[in-house]
Short mmCIF file of all heavy atoms in Angstrom, two decimals:
data_model
loop_
_atom_site.label_atom_id
_atom_site.label_comp_id
_atom_site.label_asym_id
_atom_site.label_seq_id
_atom_site.Cartn_x
_atom_site.Cartn_y
_atom_site.Cartn_z
N ASN A 1 1.01 6.45 7.77
CA ASN A 1 0.42 6.25 6.44
C ASN A 1 0.71 4.79 6.05
O ASN A 1 1.86 4.41 5.85
CB ASN A 1 1.02 7.20 5.39
CG ASN A 1 0.48 6.99 4.02
OD1 ASN A 1 -0.39 6.09 3.80
ND2 ASN A 1 0.97 7.72 3.07
N PHE A 2 -0.33 3.98 5.99
CA PHE A 2 -0.20 2.52 5.78
C PHE A 2 -0.74 2.09 4.42
O PHE A 2 -1.18 0.98 4.26
CB PHE A 2 -0.83 1.77 6.90
CG PHE A 2 -0.46 2.26 8.27
CD1 PHE A 2 -1.28 3.10 8.99
CD2 PHE A 2 0.83 1.99 8.79
CE1 PHE A 2 -0.92 3.56 10.27
CE2 PHE A 2 1.21 2.48 10.03
CZ PHE A 2 0.35 3.27 10.76
N SER A 3 -0.66 3.00 3.44
CA SER A 3 -1.24 2.72 2.13
C SER A 3 -0.36 1.84 1.28
O SER A 3 -0.78 1.42 0.20
CB SER A 3 -1.52 4.03 1.37
OG SER A 3 -0.26 4.72 1.15
N GLY A 4 0.90 1.62 1.66
CA GLY A 4 1.80 0.83 0.89
C GLY A 4 2.56 1.60 -0.15
O GLY A 4 3.31 1.08 -0.95
N SER A 5 2.39 2.91 -0.17
CA SER A 5 3.05 3.76 -1.18
C SER A 5 4.59 3.75 -0.95
O SER A 5 5.36 3.92 -1.92
CB SER A 5 2.58 5.22 -1.13
OG SER A 5 2.65 5.71 0.20
N ASP A 6 5.02 3.57 0.29
CA ASP A 6 6.42 3.45 0.60
C ASP A 6 6.75 2.01 0.96
O ASP A 6 6.30 1.50 1.97
CB ASP A 6 6.81 4.35 1.80
CG ASP A 6 8.27 4.31 2.18
OD1 ASP A 6 8.98 3.50 1.58
OD2 ASP A 6 8.67 5.12 2.99
N PRO A 7 7.45 1.25 0.12
CA PRO A 7 7.71 -0.17 0.34
C PRO A 7 8.50 -0.45 1.62
O PRO A 7 8.50 -1.61 2.09
CB PRO A 7 8.46 -0.63 -0.92
CG PRO A 7 9.02 0.62 -1.49
CD PRO A 7 8.06 1.71 -1.14
N SER A 8 9.12 0.54 2.18
CA SER A 8 9.95 0.32 3.37
C SER A 8 9.12 0.40 4.67
O SER A 8 9.63 0.16 5.78
CB SER A 8 11.09 1.36 3.44
OG SER A 8 10.57 2.69 3.58
N THR A 9 7.84 0.82 4.56
CA THR A 9 6.98 0.94 5.69
C THR A 9 5.89 -0.12 5.67
O THR A 9 5.54 -0.61 4.64
CB THR A 9 6.34 2.32 5.77
OG1 THR A 9 5.53 2.53 4.61
CG2 THR A 9 7.42 3.43 5.84
N PRO A 10 5.33 -0.44 6.84
CA PRO A 10 4.28 -1.52 6.87
C PRO A 10 3.01 -0.96 6.26
O PRO A 10 2.77 0.24 6.17
CB PRO A 10 4.08 -1.76 8.35
CG PRO A 10 4.52 -0.49 8.99
CD PRO A 10 5.66 0.05 8.20
N SER A 11 2.14 -1.87 5.81
CA SER A 11 0.91 -1.46 5.18
C SER A 11 -0.25 -2.33 5.75
O SER A 11 -0.03 -3.37 6.36
CB SER A 11 0.93 -1.60 3.66
OG SER A 11 1.27 -2.94 3.26
N LEU A 12 -1.48 -1.84 5.50
CA LEU A 12 -2.68 -2.45 6.04
C LEU A 12 -3.80 -2.25 5.02
O LEU A 12 -3.88 -1.24 4.40
CB LEU A 12 -3.06 -1.85 7.40
CG LEU A 12 -4.35 -2.32 8.06
CD1 LEU A 12 -4.18 -3.73 8.63
CD2 LEU A 12 -4.72 -1.36 9.19
N VAL A 13 -4.71 -3.27 4.92
CA VAL A 13 -5.86 -3.09 4.05
C VAL A 13 -7.04 -3.62 4.83
O VAL A 13 -7.00 -4.61 5.54
CB VAL A 13 -5.74 -3.78 2.70
CG1 VAL A 13 -5.64 -5.28 2.84
CG2 VAL A 13 -6.87 -3.44 1.79
N ILE A 14 -8.17 -2.91 4.69
CA ILE A 14 -9.45 -3.37 5.27
C ILE A 14 -10.31 -3.88 4.10
O ILE A 14 -10.62 -3.12 3.13
CB ILE A 14 -10.17 -2.21 6.00
CG1 ILE A 14 -9.25 -1.70 7.12
CG2 ILE A 14 -11.50 -2.70 6.56
CD1 ILE A 14 -9.81 -0.47 7.80
N LEU A 15 -10.68 -5.16 4.18
CA LEU A 15 -11.43 -5.77 3.11
C LEU A 15 -12.88 -5.92 3.54
O LEU A 15 -13.23 -6.28 4.70
CB LEU A 15 -10.90 -7.18 2.82
CG LEU A 15 -9.44 -7.30 2.37
CD1 LEU A 15 -9.06 -8.77 2.26
CD2 LEU A 15 -9.19 -6.54 1.08
N ALA A 16 -13.78 -5.64 2.60
CA ALA A 16 -15.19 -6.02 2.77
C ALA A 16 -15.29 -7.43 2.25
O ALA A 16 -14.80 -7.71 1.16
CB ALA A 16 -16.10 -5.10 1.97
N SER A 17 -15.88 -8.36 3.02
CA SER A 17 -15.98 -9.73 2.61
C SER A 17 -17.42 -10.23 2.68
O SER A 17 -18.32 -9.46 3.12
CB SER A 17 -15.04 -10.63 3.46
OG SER A 17 -15.28 -10.42 4.84
N GLY A 18 -17.67 -11.42 2.26
CA GLY A 18 -19.03 -11.96 2.26
C GLY A 18 -19.98 -11.16 1.43
O GLY A 18 -19.59 -10.62 0.37
N GLY A 19 -21.21 -11.03 1.86
CA GLY A 19 -22.21 -10.25 1.10
C GLY A 19 -21.82 -8.81 0.97
O GLY A 19 -22.11 -8.18 -0.07
N TYR A 20 -21.19 -8.23 1.99
CA TYR A 20 -20.73 -6.84 1.92
C TYR A 20 -19.68 -6.74 0.82
O TYR A 20 -19.64 -5.75 0.05
CB TYR A 20 -20.18 -6.44 3.28
CG TYR A 20 -19.60 -5.04 3.35
CD1 TYR A 20 -20.11 -4.02 2.58
CD2 TYR A 20 -18.57 -4.78 4.20
CE1 TYR A 20 -19.57 -2.72 2.66
CE2 TYR A 20 -17.98 -3.49 4.31
CZ TYR A 20 -18.52 -2.48 3.50
OH TYR A 20 -18.00 -1.23 3.62
N GLY A 21 -18.78 -7.71 0.68
CA GLY A 21 -17.77 -7.71 -0.36
C GLY A 21 -18.43 -7.72 -1.74
O GLY A 21 -17.93 -7.11 -2.64
N ARG A 22 -19.52 -8.46 -1.89
CA ARG A 22 -20.22 -8.56 -3.15
C ARG A 22 -21.07 -7.33 -3.44
O ARG A 22 -21.71 -7.22 -4.47
CB ARG A 22 -21.10 -9.78 -3.20
CG ARG A 22 -20.43 -11.09 -3.19
CD ARG A 22 -21.41 -12.24 -3.38
NE ARG A 22 -22.42 -12.34 -2.36
CZ ARG A 22 -22.28 -12.96 -1.21
NH1 ARG A 22 -21.12 -13.58 -0.94
NH2 ARG A 22 -23.25 -13.02 -0.28
N ARG A 23 -21.15 -6.40 -2.49
CA ARG A 23 -22.07 -5.23 -2.59
C ARG A 23 -23.50 -5.73 -2.69
O ARG A 23 -24.32 -5.21 -3.47
CB ARG A 23 -21.76 -4.32 -3.75
CG ARG A 23 -20.44 -3.50 -3.62
CD ARG A 23 -20.33 -2.48 -4.69
NE ARG A 23 -19.16 -1.62 -4.48
CZ ARG A 23 -17.96 -1.83 -5.04
NH1 ARG A 23 -17.85 -2.88 -5.79
NH2 ARG A 23 -16.94 -1.01 -4.81
N GLU A 24 -23.82 -6.75 -1.85
CA GLU A 24 -25.13 -7.35 -1.94
C GLU A 24 -25.84 -7.23 -0.57
O GLU A 24 -26.51 -8.18 -0.13
CB GLU A 24 -24.94 -8.84 -2.33
CG GLU A 24 -26.13 -9.44 -3.01
CD GLU A 24 -25.85 -10.83 -3.55
OE1 GLU A 24 -25.63 -11.78 -2.76
OE2 GLU A 24 -25.81 -10.97 -4.80
N LEU A 25 -25.68 -6.12 0.06
CA LEU A 25 -26.29 -5.92 1.39
C LEU A 25 -27.78 -5.77 1.33
O LEU A 25 -28.31 -5.12 0.39
CB LEU A 25 -25.68 -4.70 2.10
CG LEU A 25 -24.24 -4.80 2.54
CD1 LEU A 25 -23.84 -3.46 3.22
CD2 LEU A 25 -24.00 -5.96 3.50
N SER A 26 -28.47 -6.40 2.28
CA SER A 26 -29.90 -6.12 2.49
C SER A 26 -29.97 -5.31 3.79
O SER A 26 -28.98 -5.19 4.54
CB SER A 26 -30.68 -7.45 2.62
OG SER A 26 -30.88 -8.02 1.32
N PRO A 27 -31.15 -4.75 4.07
CA PRO A 27 -31.24 -3.91 5.29
C PRO A 27 -30.76 -4.53 6.59
O PRO A 27 -30.23 -3.87 7.44
CB PRO A 27 -32.75 -3.59 5.32
CG PRO A 27 -33.19 -3.60 3.88
CD PRO A 27 -32.38 -4.65 3.29
N GLY A 28 -30.97 -5.84 6.75
CA GLY A 28 -30.53 -6.52 8.00
C GLY A 28 -29.30 -7.31 7.91
O GLY A 28 -28.99 -8.07 8.78
#
């Protein structure tokens, strides 16, 4: 579980960036 809920364990986050991060996707 890498959600960061336990500060003694490692954590990970997946970020949407660019146009996907802005929720500005077009079909292509």
Side-chain angles (χ1 to χ4, degrees):
N1 178 2
F2 310 103
S3 65
S5 55
D6 182 353
S8 65
T9 60
S11 57
L12 176 72
V13 64
I14 301 175
L15 302 175
S17 51
Y20 177 34
R22 293 188 298 274
R23 290 190 174 93
E24 206 172 69
L25 291 180
S26 283

